[in-house]
Amino acid sequence: MVAAETHPAGSPANDRVRAHLERTLRGLGLQTSVQDTVAPEAGQLSGSAGGTTMARVRNVVARLPGTDPTGRVFLVAHYDSVQSGPGGNDDAAGTSAILEAARALTSGPRLRNDVVFVLTDAEEACLCGAAAFAAEHPLAADGGVVLNLEARGRTAR
Ligand SMILES: [Zn+2]
């Protein structure tokens, strides 16, 4: 479902992937929301000449509360694909691994610390989704341990 078709940020196909992710995470009983914002490219303020890259991003964020949390663990992958392919390993593999981790963690013993599942948008265009989560999302405010599941594309162009 995540890599059934090419689904760059902003496309109807990407809307379908996002709906699948929301359904799946809500189906596990997780508090799930979509961070819908407009964000600049990561590192935009580093002084590159020329224009500004911005994107509308819709990050899917789900939280599994810990029993006695002292911090948060973030499991992160991006769900958008490049424009030239369906993104099977970059990054549907990471996205799928996070859905499976969510399933396992919601069916096993409760963890002490909060786990936040962050499926970001618009990575391929500009890392805008990850930048928006880090800069704006309330769950990111106190930091934590971040595991980012990412892969390289495989096609020789
Ligand atoms: Zn990627």
Side-chain angles (χ1 to χ4, degrees):
M1 175 66 221
V2 178
E5 55 190 330
T6 299
H7 56 285
S11 67
N14 207 38
D15 292 344
R16 290 191 284 277
V17 172
R18 185 175 56 258
H20 169 72
L21 301 176
E22 288 184 65
R23 258 196 320 275
T24 302
L25 292 167
R26 288 207 173 97
L28 295 171
L30 292 167
Q31 306 161 15
T32 303
S33 60
V34 175
Q35 179 190 14
D36 188 340
T37 187
V38 174
E41 183 168 11
Q44 186 74 52
L45 302 178
S46 61
S48 63
T52 300
T53 300
M54 306 281 288
R56 180 182 180 193
V57 303
R58 282 159 289 182
N59 296 327
V60 179
V61 181
R63 179 171 163 264
L64 177 60
T67 55
D68 186 20
T70 58
R72 294 195 174 110
V73 176
F74 298 90
L75 299 180
V76 184
H78 70 89
Y79 70 86
D80 63 304
S81 76
V82 292
Q83 306 216 14
S84 55
N89 53 352
D90 180 15
D91 193 19
T95 297
S96 301
I98 286 179
L99 293 181
E100 171 56 14
R103 187 205 59 77
L105 292 174
T106 52
S107 61
R110 295 283 304 279
L111 299 179
R112 175 177 166 184
N113 285 315
D114 291 353
V115 178
V116 183
F117 306 96
V118 186
L119 297 170
T120 65
D121 192 10
E123 192 273 350
E124 297 294 359
C126 56
L127 291 172
C128 291
F133 182 79
E136 297 175 19
H137 200 286
L139 288 174
D142 297 326
V145 174
V146 178
L147 300 176
N148 184 45
L149 306 182
E150 172 64 311
R152 296 188 60 176
R154 56 156 286 279
T155 304
R157 295 202 175 92

